[in-house]
């Protein structure tokens, strides 16, 4: 059940499913999608019943073909655009979710599609997935964190190669660069995402959240700060479980 127009939000047995749902436009990311994702992610963030999230795209051809080119650079003014962006910090919201988010990627995964996937914790891809960043060809740079998240995931040289050469990656190439964790036949993509979500769901939510925080927050810290964080989170868990 979903009250949204361009995404579908469903919740079943502790797993939340967000489906980008503009298949005729290859699930291109538009302002409406940004607002609906913001709302859905906010609901997830505050919902202790949601233990894991799966993000996927509707239709056969694409997870997401990037920013909607029909809305491209149509914001009335840079000031307004910046203000709207601040008020709808969708990427910050993605990254602030304590529950693990699994991206299930198929077909075209372009521009903001890759950037959305990079905000997720585990990326599964079908063998037909193709990854590309068309931004430089459009005279822009990634606007959804990609210039920062991509090198953190695949390293500086590979990120610059991908951004500056305009080269698209096949699923096996994306796997080799560790842009995705696993490749699956198309038919196995969602069943495998659900199986993984079920596995995560079987663990203590507090431990899962602490692990996610230790890894994701720790990456922005020095090693000694990260070790302190790990200690703090570990102590919190021990106190909670009264061991
Ligand atoms: N924004 C808006 N609409 C988009 C879109 C986008 N980013 N990507 C695809 N679409 C629309 C197409 O306009 C087309 O609509 P139509 O059927 O009303 O004409 C529909 O989705 C299907 O796309 P089509 O181009 O016919 O499919 P294809 O398989 O031939 O090509 C792509 C697929 C992804 C190679 C091609 O659509 C493309 O290059 N899209 C733009 C990618 C891009 O530059 N994204 C911006 C990143 S910043």
């Amino acid at each position: 059940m979903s009250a949204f127009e361009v995404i579908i939000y469903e919740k079943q047995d502790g797993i939340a499913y967000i489906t980008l749902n503009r298949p005729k436009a290859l699930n291109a990311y538009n302002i409406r999608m940004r607002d609906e994702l913001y709302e859905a992610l906010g609901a997830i963030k505050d919902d202790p019943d949601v233990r894991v999230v799966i993000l996927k795209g509707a239709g056969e051809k694409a997870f997401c073909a990037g920013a909607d080119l029909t809305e491209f650079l149509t914001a009335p003014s840079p000031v307004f655009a910046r203000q709207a962006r601040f008020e709808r910090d969708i990427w910050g919201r993605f990254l602030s979710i304590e529950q693990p988010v699994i991206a299930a990627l198929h077909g075209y995964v372009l521009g903001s599609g890759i950037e959305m996937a990079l905000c997720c914790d585990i990326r599964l891809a079908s063998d037909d997935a193709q990854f590309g960043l068309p931004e430089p060809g459009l005279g822009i740079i990634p606007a959804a964190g990609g210039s920062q998240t991509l090198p953190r995931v695949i390293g500086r040289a590979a990120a610059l190669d991908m951004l500056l050469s305009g080269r698209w990656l096949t699923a096996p190439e994306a796997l080799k660069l560790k842009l995705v964790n696993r490749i699956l036949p198309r038919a196995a993509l969602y069943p495998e995402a659900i199986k993984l979500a079920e596995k995560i769901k079987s663990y203590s939510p507090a431990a899962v959240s602490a692990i996610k925080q230790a890894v994701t927050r720790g990456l922005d810290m020095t090693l000694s700060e990260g070790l302190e964080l790990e200690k703090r989170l570990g102590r919190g868990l021990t106190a909670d479980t009264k061991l």
Side-chain angles (χ1 to χ4, degrees), residues 24-26 28 61 65-70 108 110-111 134-135 138 168:
K24 285 187 185 145
L26 307 187
K61 282 180 74 174
D68 189 317
L69 293 173
T70 64
Y108 296 111
L110 305 177
E135 281 85 351
L138 297 165
W168 285 22

Side-chain angles (χ1 to χ4, degrees), residues 208-227:
V208 167
S209 161
I211 288 169
K212 175 166 168 172
Q213 284 185 65
V215 172
T216 55
R217 287 173 53 198
L219 273 177
D220 289 330
M221 296 175 174
T222 62
L223 179 60
S224 56
E225 286 166 347
L227 290 171

